[in-house]
C-alpha cells in the first residue's frame, strides 16, 4: 500500500508546528526523511524494532547492513552503549556535532534489528539545526541510513529523496541542499588502534591528529587493487547511477586517458559524459563529449558537495557512460574516491 508522504518545507527556517508533527510521526513508529550536514537521512525510532524494520523495507536494504543511530545530546550516548573509552571523549569534544560516526559495544536496549545483528552500534550527532531539533523533540535516538533506494547515490536534496522514496515513507523535511555531500566517517572504537571502516567528512589525517595511530579497514586497501581486467562490473555496486561509471585514476596525463576512453565509447555510439575537476575541463577538446565540471581539485569540499547530484543528473540526461577523472586520495579525496570506486563497480582504469 503506498503511503501519503507529508512534505514539510523548512528551507528558510524551522516551523515549530510542523516540527512537532514530524517528531510525533517518529515517536509513533513512522519514517521521516530529514537533512543532515552530510546527506539526507531516513529516520525511525532506533529503539523500536518494528519502526526500524520499516526503514529496511522502504529502502530495499539488506537486513544485515547496520544503521547509524543519531543523537541530539551527548548524554544520550550513555544509554546506548556499554562504555565510552577516553579517546571517544576527545573525538566527541572535537568533532560532534559533525560527520563522525563512532562504533561502540551496544547496550542491551538497542535492538539487533538496528545493528544488523551485531553487538556493536554506530552513533553520531549530526551538525544540522533541523536534524538536531527533530531528534530532540522526538525524545528518542533516531536510526537513519541515507534516504535513497539501496544502491543509488545518496540524496543531497529533498528532491532526490522524493524521487526515490515518495509513497514509501511518512514524511520528508526539506532543509535545502546538504553542505558536505558525502557521508560521515565511520570509526570503529572497539578495535585497537581504532579503525576507519568508511572514509567520510572527517579526514583520516584529522583523526590521527587526535588519536595517533589509526588503521584503515583492509577492505579499503583491497578495493584499491581492483583492476578493470579482473572484475568489470562484477563487484557490488553502490552509490551508483543507472549509467555505467568508469573511473580513471589520477596519474600524470590522466586527462588524455579519460578523453581516449570517452572517445572510444562515443565512437561506439554511446552517450558519454566526462566528469572532471574544473581546472582540467579546458584540456578536453572532443566535441562529442558532454563535459561536467565537478568542483575544484584544489578544494575537494566543492567536489564532495557536487558528487551525488551530478551522478543523478547524468541519469536524468539519459547518459549511457560516465567517465570520471579521479583525484588524489588524501584528505576528503579519500572519501570521494571511495564512493567513485563503488559507483564504478570495478570499472577502474589506472
Ligand atoms: O552521513 C551519514 O553517515 C549518513 C547520514 C544520514 O547520517 N548516514 C549514512 O548511513 O550514511 P548509511 O546507512 O547509508 O551508512 C552507514 C554505514 C554503513 O556502511 C554501515 O555498514 C556502517 O555505517 N555501520 C553502521 N553501524 C555499524 C556497526 N555497528 N559496525 C560496522 N559498521 C557499521
Ligand atoms: Mg547509504
Amino acid at each position: 500500500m503506498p503511503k501519503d508522504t507529508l512534505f514539510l518545507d523548512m528551507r528558510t527556517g524551522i516551523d515549530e508546528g510542523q516540527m512537532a508533527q514530524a517528531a510525533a510521526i517518529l515517536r509513533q513508529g513512522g519514517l521521516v526523511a530529514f537533512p543532515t550536514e552530510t546527506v539526507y537521512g531516513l529516520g525511525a525510532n532506533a529503539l523500536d524494532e518494528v519502526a526500524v524494520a520499516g526503514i529496511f523495507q522502504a529502502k530495499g536494504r539488506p537486513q544485515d547492513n547496520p544503521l547509524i543511530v543519531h543523537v541530539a545530546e551527548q548524554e544520550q550516548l550513555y544509554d546506548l552503549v556499554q562504555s565510552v573509552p577516553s579517546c571517544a571523549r576527545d573525538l566527541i569534544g572535537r568533532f560532534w556535532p559533525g560527520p563522525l560516526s563512532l562504533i561502540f559495544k551496544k547496550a542491551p536496549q538497542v535492538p539487533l534489528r538496528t545493528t544488523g545483528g551485531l553487538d556493536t552500534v554506530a552513533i553520531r550527532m549530526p551538525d544540522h539545526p533541523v536534524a538536531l531539533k527533530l531528534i530532540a523533540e522526538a525524545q528518542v535516538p533516531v536510526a537513519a541510513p541515507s534516504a535513497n533506494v539501496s544502491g543509488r547515490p545518496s540524496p543531497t536534496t529533498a528532491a532526490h529523496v522524493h524521487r526515490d522514496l515518495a509513497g514509501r515513507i511518512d514524511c520528508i523535511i526539506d532543509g535545502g541542499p546538504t553542505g558536505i555531500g558525502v557521508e560521515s566517517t565511520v570509526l570503529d572504537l572497539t578495535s585497537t588502534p581504532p579503525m576507519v571502516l568508511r572514509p567520510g567528512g572527517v579526514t583520516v589525517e584529522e583523526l590521527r591528529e587526535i588519536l595517533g595511530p589509526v588503521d584503515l579497514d583492509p577492505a579499503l586497501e583491497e578495493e584499491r587493487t581492483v583492476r578493470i581486467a579482473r572484475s568489470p562490473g562484477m563487484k557490488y555496486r553502490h552509490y551508483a547511477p543507472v549509467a555505467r561509471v568508469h573511473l580513471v585514476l589520477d596519474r600524470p596525463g590522466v586527462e588524455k586517458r579519460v578523453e581516449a576512453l570517452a572517445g572510444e565509447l562515443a565512437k561506439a555510439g554511446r552517450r558519454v559524459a566526462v566528469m572532471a575537476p574544473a581546472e582540467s575541463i579546458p584540456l578536453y577538446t572532443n566535441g562529442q563529449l558532454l563535459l561536467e565540471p565537478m568542483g575544484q581539485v584544489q578544494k575537494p569540499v566543492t567536489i564532495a558537495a557536487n558528487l551525488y547530484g551530478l551522478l543523478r543528473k547524468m541519469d536524468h540526461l539519459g547518459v549511457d557512460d560516465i567517465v570520471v577523472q579521479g583525484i588524489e586520495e588524501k584528505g576528503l579525496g579519500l572519501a570521494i574516491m571511495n564512493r567513485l570506486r563503488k559507483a564504478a563497480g570495478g570499472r577502474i582504469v589506472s
Side-chain angles (χ1 to χ4, degrees):
M1 265 291 282
K3 298 185 180 206
D4 271 334
T5 303
L6 176 68
F7 196 89
L8 303 176
D9 185 352
M10 299 195 197
R11 281 174 301 172
T12 57
I14 293 174
D15 178 286
E16 298 282 340
Q18 290 186 336
M19 189 56 95
Q21 214 178 345
I25 293 172
L26 279 181
R27 249 194 329 275
Q28 290 155 14
L31 303 181
V32 177
F34 60 94
T36 80
E37 81 282 29
T38 58
V39 301
Y40 275 73
L42 176 59
N45 177 355
L47 306 180
D48 177 343
E49 288 200 63
V50 179
V52 167
I55 290 180
F56 287 90
Q57 201 187 5
K59 282 187 55 115
R61 180 180 176 106
Q63 302 277 346
D64 62 354
N65 193 354
L67 305 177
I68 296 169
V69 177
H70 296 65
V71 298
E73 283 170 47
Q74 286 186 26
E75 293 67 57
Q76 283 180 286
L77 173 65
Y78 296 86
D79 297 334
L80 299 169
V81 306
Q82 283 182 17
S83 65
V84 178
S86 68
C87 69
R89 283 173 235 272
D90 299 338
L91 291 169
I92 288 168
R94 170 80 170 77
F95 296 113
W96 280 14
L100 179 64
S101 298
L102 299 173
I103 296 182
F104 303 87
K105 287 272 182 213
K106 80 171 190 71
Q109 69 151 336
V110 179
L112 288 170
R113 179 82 72 177
T114 301
T115 64
L118 299 173
D119 64 356
T120 56
V121 61
I123 305 191
R124 89 172 186 104
M125 187 190 293
D127 188 13
H128 194 291
V130 171
L132 290 171
K133 177 85 171 160
L134 176 69
I135 300 162
E137 228 172 276
Q139 296 180 298
V140 292
V142 174
S146 49
N148 51 285
V149 164
S150 204
R152 300 262 300 140
S154 299
T156 52
T157 67
H160 297 158
V161 179
H162 192 269
R163 218 161 290 143
D164 276 17
L165 297 175
R168 300 203 211 186
I169 64 178
D170 299 291
C171 177
I172 298 172
I173 305 178
D174 188 351
T178 59
I180 296 177
V182 294
E183 298 84 347
S184 64
T185 302
V186 178
L187 182 70
D188 187 353
L189 295 178
T190 69
S191 61
T192 314
M195 185 184 282
V196 171
L197 303 185
R198 178 179 72 180
V202 170
T203 65
V204 177
E205 292 86 342
E206 287 174 305
L207 293 175
R208 288 189 174 136
E209 268 173 37
I210 304 272
L211 295 174
V214 171
D215 282 346
L216 283 186
D217 186 339
L220 293 169
E221 296 296 343
E222 202 175 299
E223 213 174 73
R224 294 205 199 178
T225 66
V226 173
R227 291 289 174 270
I228 192 164
R230 217 174 71 200
S231 56
M234 293 299 286
K235 278 206 89 168
Y236 173 58
R237 284 180 97 207
H238 206 138
Y239 310 107
V242 177
R244 294 201 311 198
V245 175
H246 309 257
L247 177 61
V248 182
L249 299 180
D250 182 35
R251 302 279 185 273
V254 59
E255 293 91 353
K256 285 271 164 276
R257 289 156 195 273
V258 170
E259 185 143 34
L261 174 57
E264 239 171 72
L265 291 162
K267 222 187 252 168
R270 302 183 59 89
R271 302 187 59 173
V272 185
V274 168
M275 278 170 51
E279 295 94 329
S280 291
I281 292 286
L283 299 176
Y284 292 96
T285 53
N286 182 338
Q288 274 184 299
L289 307 174
L290 174 68
L291 296 177
E292 278 293 341
M294 62 178 184
Q296 293 159 260
V297 85
Q298 296 303 329
K299 294 184 195 149
V301 290
T302 59
I303 297 180
N306 287 329
L307 185 65
Y308 292 136
L310 277 182
L311 292 175
R312 283 178 178 256
K313 178 179 168 193
M314 296 301 110
D315 282 344
H316 200 68
L317 295 175
V319 164
D320 300 311
D321 291 87
I322 309 168
V323 184
V324 184
Q325 179 183 328
I327 62 170
E328 198 184 347
E329 298 185 64
K330 66 164 204 224
L332 198 54
L334 187 66
I336 292 166
M337 288 296 286
N338 167 262
R339 306 311 190 267
L340 284 170
R341 283 174 189 279
K342 290 206 154 67
R347 281 191 198 85
I348 295 168
V349 184
S350 63

